[in-house]
Amino acid sequence: MEDDPFSDPFGDDQEVILEGKLSTSGASSPSGNATRAAAPQPPRQPPKKALPPAAGTTFAPAPLPPRVSTVSPSIATLQLGVASANKFDAPPRSATLFSPVVMSPKPSPPQALVESWISSPPLDQRSSQNQAPPPLPPRPTSPIVRQARQSEPLIPPPVPARPFLPTSQSSSEKLSDRSLDRPFMSLDRAIPSARSDDQKVKSFSPDFTTCLNRKPPDPRNYLANQEISHKGSVKCMATSGFYVCTAGQQNLRLYHLTTGENVRSLPLNELKITAVVFVPCRHIEDEGKTIWFSVDKGDIMEADVQSGSSITITDKKNAHSATVTHLLRYRGGIWSLDENGGLKIWNPEDGVLSLSGRPRSLRIGSRQERVVIVRGRLWSAAGRAIEMYYPDNATTLFQQRTELTGIAGNVTSFTASYDEGLVFSGHDDGKIIMWNSENLSKLAIVSCSVYKITSLLCLSKGHLWVGFSTGKVHVYDTVPSQWVALKEFSAHSSTPVTEITMDEKSLLISGQMTVSTFTAELGQIRVWDGFLADDWTESYLKGRETDFCSYRSIGVFVGSWNIDANKPDVLDSRPRDEQTIMDWFLTDCNPPPALIVIGFQELVDLESKKANAKQIFFEATKHTSSKNHVDSRLAAWQDRLTRTLRDCSTVPYRLAQCHQLFGLFQCVFVLESETANLRMVEAAQIKTGFGGFHGNKEPIGARLILDDTSFCFVNCHLAAHQTQVSARNNDAAAVRDGLTFSTLNMSPGVFEPGGNGSSVLDYENVVMSGDLNYRIDLPRDKVLDAIDKQNWKLLLDNDQLGKQRQSNTYFGFRGYSEGPINFAPTFKYDILSKSYDSSEKKRVPAYCDRILWRGKWVQKSYRRSECTVSDHRPVSATFDIPVKRVIPDLRERCRKSAEEVRRQECDDVVRSAKIGWLVANCGADSGTAEKLLKMADWNLKSARQSLEGK
């Protein structure tokens, strides 16, 4: 007989897993209905060729004998083939039934019955000559009836013992390893389904509109070394206090965090470590001295890592019959799980946790990839299926199975909230599902990214750390109904964040929340400040700037125009009402603004294949001809703008910055009286055209600081054509993430919290303007009709840019604002005409030309101008904006006040952790633990000694 892959290797008292119910001959169900006994079957006969039944043959119903299941060790599947017209009685394709392994010894069934269970062929292989077709299976109980019966007392039927299968262990050895003091009984009904109405589970994306703090949470204020490298790939790691243990291909190593030094090591030779954990101790000061690590074939070893000059193995036990995949700490004990679903719970005996102890032995589903323990329940996942087990439930080990197909991707990680009231599961499609740990229901499905989530860790205040396959870590505040993105930083360069852990010992002993991120691919460990102390202080000060800053208001004018490769002298032949630049400076710049920003697109002809080919060739060969040609255009428009502004303005201006990159051009003028307050003016550019190699679709930017307020102005030209929304979105993301400036070491308060001026995201006030090219998703006739009726709302409701800003979580311009649009679409017109495109293509009119902003802007106007030399119409906007000047003495006083508030909040977290440790490890109730800690001035060791009566 082939070995049963789910046989229990720890004892002879095994039960048979049947398809359908687990039943014993003569046993009755709780409802009083007799369960069908399995009739002995005759020995298996050689197969005979099946003959068709004679005409008029009547088939008599015959009982269906149960047979051994070959599915999950904890779940037997009953295939149901009856359809029902009643929507409540319609059976599912499969109903799952709990089938635990740990049982009290039962008398074995007769050998003939055992052989019949094993040798009975499948239904589809039985000869129609010798066996009448079986009856249809009984209709399953309606969900309404089943729900009503859940309140009835559950009396499980007895389960027959599983046939004995020989193993390498003797019966006495297996029984000595087995915990028989708490047998688990099976259910006589289907497992409660976790699938509630998924339409009622709220789905949302985190709020990314606030400026993320991108500064890594550096712990250098209390930890000198921040990085440890194992010099090779690492299978697993564990932390305790200031020690980190890593298991690589050849060595088990212990590092000291403060120095990064490899203090001890153990050559592994042929051993392959699969999991490692620091052994919890009753005395917190003793933690970090001993580790357990698992190797191939189910062995668990114990090693002393702090005595002597090397790591010494002190104990070894063949604890499992298969490779151990997980070692988990929980409330002073360790849970070990192997790949075949064998689960052992190791609890301290006489206050000491040792391999020589006798663990409880249970069995769950095999090959569980991700596991976490929450309030005594084991949450496990394989693929898209999540199962929950409750070892302390005297009735049933198995609690629930949830299939997430169609809801989220494969489960990649688990974590629980600080109070264990919530569970979070991360998935490879960038989603996180939030669960209620008590009733095991889904609370929310959160779309965080398009990238794979690889690790999760939830800390105090509901801060959820999320590691991605890109090497980045995001931190979300999960307390609001819509999560808020707080932080984003690069933890590991383009390699997946394999694991995120928080060291409890460092929190309890030193009062520091040390968070470690680990990438197995590089064998690299980095350490961060889990309190996010600097972030908290900067955010606190940002909200109280009025306490240490003085303010004044200035005006800003922004103009944008796709000039369709026209030269300045084209305007000379146009009538006065088409003199757009003059109109800007005379009308919109009155009273004179402090800053004037003009941006043009298509300075050269981008639709000319010949011009683009020349430009690519000249850029590749460093030829000067093209540069001179473009520079002449730049000089011509720069001169035209400067002369027109001088002629139209009653006050003098200075050209602060002028920059051009092939098709884009941008000038920044500053009021001469403001030049003394202006500093750090700089231009930046990236190329997005032709895959980033050519500047035909490129953003250019200008940054400056006025007083102590930072500004960034970006001129964009995104991908064209009606259907290219994704291409435009990619360009927008490139503008947000790729446009970089030199790093500035400015006085505090100039940039957004955590910013250093290198990114667009660092600036307090940002303007995104240009030919963004987003179109209107309506037929041309409807758009023209709406324009005639000035039904701007209909057009804007179908505007692609508006839709992306509202619905696309990852949109590059999400979080930006735009003033009310009360004018007609600016594209596409016939040249020298007021009519929309009458060519063969008949393009749909669209609001391609836009001005978006982020910051404390107060928009005063937003309008279009009329100039027919281009197929686009110019747009312009005027703003009032407050600029601040930081008063250093007042800011320092406010910073010290913020530090006091932050320190008090951190102390509250540490005190709560100490109370929890005494409750979990010393058996105290929370009230007694808090009282003893207060008496000991929150010294954990003294409080523990008082609890023990020392």
mmCIF file of all heavy atoms in Angstrom, residues 461 507 511 513 529 531-533 901-912:
data_model
loop_
_atom_site.group_PDB
_atom_site.id
_atom_site.type_symbol
_atom_site.label_atom_id
_atom_site.label_comp_id
_atom_site.label_asym_id
_atom_site.label_seq_id
_atom_site.Cartn_x
_atom_site.Cartn_y
_atom_site.Cartn_z
ATOM 1 N N LYS A 461 0.234 52.732 17.208
ATOM 2 C CA LYS A 461 -0.479 53.827 16.539
ATOM 3 C C LYS A 461 -1.050 53.424 15.182
ATOM 4 O O LYS A 461 -1.397 54.276 14.361
ATOM 5 C CB LYS A 461 0.435 55.047 16.358
ATOM 6 C CG LYS A 461 1.142 55.509 17.619
ATOM 7 C CD LYS A 461 0.172 56.042 18.648
ATOM 8 C CE LYS A 461 0.919 56.581 19.874
ATOM 9 N NZ LYS A 461 -0.025 57.039 20.916
ATOM 10 N N LEU A 507 12.920 47.369 22.639
ATOM 11 C CA LEU A 507 11.851 48.233 23.120
ATOM 12 C C LEU A 507 11.724 48.160 24.633
ATOM 13 O O LEU A 507 11.567 49.184 25.312
ATOM 14 C CB LEU A 507 10.529 47.830 22.454
ATOM 15 C CG LEU A 507 9.298 48.664 22.794
ATOM 16 C CD1 LEU A 507 9.448 50.081 22.289
ATOM 17 C CD2 LEU A 507 8.045 48.030 22.200
ATOM 18 N N GLY A 511 14.136 51.112 25.418
ATOM 19 C CA GLY A 511 13.093 52.078 25.087
ATOM 20 C C GLY A 511 13.130 52.531 23.646
ATOM 21 O O GLY A 511 12.488 53.525 23.304
ATOM 22 N N MET A 513 12.463 51.550 19.553
ATOM 23 C CA MET A 513 11.745 50.626 18.677
ATOM 24 C C MET A 513 12.604 50.388 17.437
ATOM 25 O O MET A 513 12.585 51.166 16.484
ATOM 26 C CB MET A 513 10.374 51.177 18.297
ATOM 27 C CG MET A 513 9.505 50.187 17.537
ATOM 28 S SD MET A 513 7.855 50.821 17.152
ATOM 29 C CE MET A 513 7.073 50.748 18.770
ATOM 30 N N ASP A 529 14.431 53.444 12.656
ATOM 31 C CA ASP A 529 13.735 53.903 13.855
ATOM 32 C C ASP A 529 12.240 53.654 13.688
ATOM 33 O O ASP A 529 11.575 54.323 12.900
ATOM 34 C CB ASP A 529 14.017 55.395 14.070
ATOM 35 C CG ASP A 529 13.211 55.974 15.227
ATOM 36 O OD1 ASP A 529 12.797 55.191 16.102
ATOM 37 O OD2 ASP A 529 13.000 57.206 15.248
ATOM 38 N N PHE A 531 9.863 54.299 15.726
ATOM 39 C CA PHE A 531 9.028 55.385 16.241
ATOM 40 C C PHE A 531 8.837 56.490 15.208
ATOM 41 O O PHE A 531 7.956 57.341 15.373
ATOM 42 C CB PHE A 531 9.652 55.991 17.501
ATOM 43 C CG PHE A 531 9.408 55.196 18.744
ATOM 44 C CD1 PHE A 531 10.464 54.867 19.579
ATOM 45 C CD2 PHE A 531 8.138 54.779 19.091
ATOM 46 C CE1 PHE A 531 10.250 54.136 20.742
ATOM 47 C CE2 PHE A 531 7.909 54.047 20.250
ATOM 48 C CZ PHE A 531 8.970 53.725 21.069
ATOM 49 N N LEU A 532 9.684 56.525 14.167
ATOM 50 C CA LEU A 532 9.669 57.610 13.180
ATOM 51 C C LEU A 532 9.754 58.953 13.898
ATOM 52 O O LEU A 532 8.980 59.894 13.641
ATOM 53 C CB LEU A 532 8.417 57.550 12.310
ATOM 54 C CG LEU A 532 8.161 56.256 11.528
ATOM 55 C CD1 LEU A 532 6.862 56.355 10.727
ATOM 56 C CD2 LEU A 532 9.326 55.951 10.594
ATOM 57 N N ALA A 533 10.720 59.047 14.816
ATOM 58 C CA ALA A 533 10.811 60.217 15.692
ATOM 59 C C ALA A 533 11.024 61.507 14.906
ATOM 60 O O ALA A 533 10.353 62.520 15.169
ATOM 61 C CB ALA A 533 11.941 60.015 16.698
ATOM 62 N N VAL A 901 6.713 66.357 23.815
ATOM 63 C CA VAL A 901 5.463 65.647 23.503
ATOM 64 C C VAL A 901 5.768 64.291 22.873
ATOM 65 O O VAL A 901 5.154 63.273 23.218
ATOM 66 C CB VAL A 901 4.597 66.508 22.568
ATOM 67 C CG1 VAL A 901 3.328 65.744 22.176
ATOM 68 C CG2 VAL A 901 4.223 67.821 23.239
ATOM 69 N N ARG A 902 6.731 64.252 21.950
ATOM 70 C CA ARG A 902 7.083 62.995 21.292
ATOM 71 C C ARG A 902 7.638 61.987 22.285
ATOM 72 O O ARG A 902 7.294 60.804 22.264
ATOM 73 C CB ARG A 902 8.122 63.247 20.193
ATOM 74 C CG ARG A 902 8.526 61.984 19.449
ATOM 75 C CD ARG A 902 9.734 62.211 18.581
ATOM 76 N NE ARG A 902 10.902 62.572 19.349
ATOM 77 C CZ ARG A 902 11.667 61.711 20.018
ATOM 78 N NH1 ARG A 902 11.370 60.423 20.027
ATOM 79 N NH2 ARG A 902 12.715 62.128 20.686
ATOM 80 N N ARG A 903 8.511 62.450 23.185
ATOM 81 C CA ARG A 903 9.101 61.550 24.175
ATOM 82 C C ARG A 903 8.020 60.938 25.068
ATOM 83 O O ARG A 903 8.076 59.754 25.423
ATOM 84 C CB ARG A 903 10.130 62.306 25.007
ATOM 85 C CG ARG A 903 10.997 61.403 25.885
ATOM 86 C CD ARG A 903 12.070 62.210 26.610
ATOM 87 N NE ARG A 903 12.982 62.834 25.658
ATOM 88 C CZ ARG A 903 13.044 64.146 25.432
ATOM 89 N NH1 ARG A 903 12.224 64.970 26.080
ATOM 90 N NH2 ARG A 903 13.899 64.646 24.572
ATOM 91 N N GLN A 904 7.018 61.734 25.409
ATOM 92 C CA GLN A 904 5.937 61.215 26.247
ATOM 93 C C GLN A 904 5.142 60.144 25.496
ATOM 94 O O GLN A 904 4.785 59.109 26.073
ATOM 95 C CB GLN A 904 5.012 62.361 26.656
ATOM 96 C CG GLN A 904 3.880 61.943 27.584
ATOM 97 C CD GLN A 904 4.372 61.348 28.889
ATOM 98 O OE1 GLN A 904 5.260 61.900 29.530
ATOM 99 N NE2 GLN A 904 3.803 60.210 29.292
ATOM 100 N N GLU A 905 4.896 60.364 24.211
ATOM 101 C CA GLU A 905 4.163 59.370 23.424
ATOM 102 C C GLU A 905 4.969 58.080 23.289
ATOM 103 O O GLU A 905 4.412 56.984 23.370
ATOM 104 C CB GLU A 905 3.833 59.945 22.041
ATOM 105 C CG GLU A 905 2.765 61.018 22.068
ATOM 106 C CD GLU A 905 2.076 61.173 20.727
ATOM 107 O OE1 GLU A 905 2.428 60.436 19.787
ATOM 108 O OE2 GLU A 905 1.163 62.018 20.632
ATOM 109 N N CYS A 906 6.267 58.202 23.091
ATOM 110 C CA CYS A 906 7.107 57.001 22.992
ATOM 111 C C CYS A 906 7.134 56.257 24.325
ATOM 112 O O CYS A 906 7.102 55.017 24.350
ATOM 113 C CB CYS A 906 8.520 57.385 22.568
ATOM 114 S SG CYS A 906 8.640 58.024 20.880
ATOM 115 N N ASP A 907 7.203 56.988 25.427
ATOM 116 C CA ASP A 907 7.192 56.348 26.753
ATOM 117 C C ASP A 907 5.897 55.583 26.976
ATOM 118 O O ASP A 907 5.907 54.494 27.577
ATOM 119 C CB ASP A 907 7.377 57.400 27.852
ATOM 120 C CG ASP A 907 8.797 57.953 27.899
ATOM 121 O OD1 ASP A 907 9.694 57.329 27.295
ATOM 122 O OD2 ASP A 907 8.999 59.008 28.534
ATOM 123 N N ASP A 908 4.795 56.119 26.503
ATOM 124 C CA ASP A 908 3.512 55.418 26.643
ATOM 125 C C ASP A 908 3.534 54.082 25.895
ATOM 126 O O ASP A 908 3.009 53.075 26.387
ATOM 127 C CB ASP A 908 2.370 56.293 26.123
ATOM 128 C CG ASP A 908 2.106 57.507 27.006
ATOM 129 O OD1 ASP A 908 2.570 57.506 28.169
ATOM 130 O OD2 ASP A 908 1.454 58.464 26.524
ATOM 131 N N VAL A 909 4.154 54.066 24.709
ATOM 132 C CA VAL A 909 4.241 52.825 23.938
ATOM 133 C C VAL A 909 5.114 51.807 24.669
ATOM 134 O O VAL A 909 4.780 50.618 24.756
ATOM 135 C CB VAL A 909 4.807 53.111 22.529
ATOM 136 C CG1 VAL A 909 5.064 51.806 21.777
ATOM 137 C CG2 VAL A 909 3.853 53.992 21.741
ATOM 138 N N VAL A 910 6.244 52.261 25.218
ATOM 139 C CA VAL A 910 7.158 51.365 25.934
ATOM 140 C C VAL A 910 6.473 50.796 27.174
ATOM 141 O O VAL A 910 6.585 49.598 27.470
ATOM 142 C CB VAL A 910 8.454 52.102 26.317
ATOM 143 C CG1 VAL A 910 9.332 51.215 27.187
ATOM 144 C CG2 VAL A 910 9.215 52.524 25.065
ATOM 145 N N ARG A 911 5.766 51.634 27.919
ATOM 146 C CA ARG A 911 5.075 51.159 29.128
ATOM 147 C C ARG A 911 3.993 50.143 28.780
ATOM 148 O O ARG A 911 3.820 49.145 29.497
ATOM 149 C CB ARG A 911 4.488 52.357 29.870
ATOM 150 C CG ARG A 911 5.550 53.243 30.520
ATOM 151 C CD ARG A 911 4.973 54.525 31.083
ATOM 152 N NE ARG A 911 6.010 55.337 31.709
ATOM 153 C CZ ARG A 911 5.814 56.557 32.206
ATOM 154 N NH1 ARG A 911 4.602 57.098 32.140
ATOM 155 N NH2 ARG A 911 6.812 57.226 32.762
ATOM 156 N N SER A 912 3.271 50.391 27.696
ATOM 157 C CA SER A 912 2.254 49.434 27.269
ATOM 158 C C SER A 912 2.899 48.105 26.894
ATOM 159 O O SER A 912 2.359 47.029 27.206
ATOM 160 C CB SER A 912 1.481 50.009 26.077
ATOM 161 O OG SER A 912 0.546 49.083 25.590
#
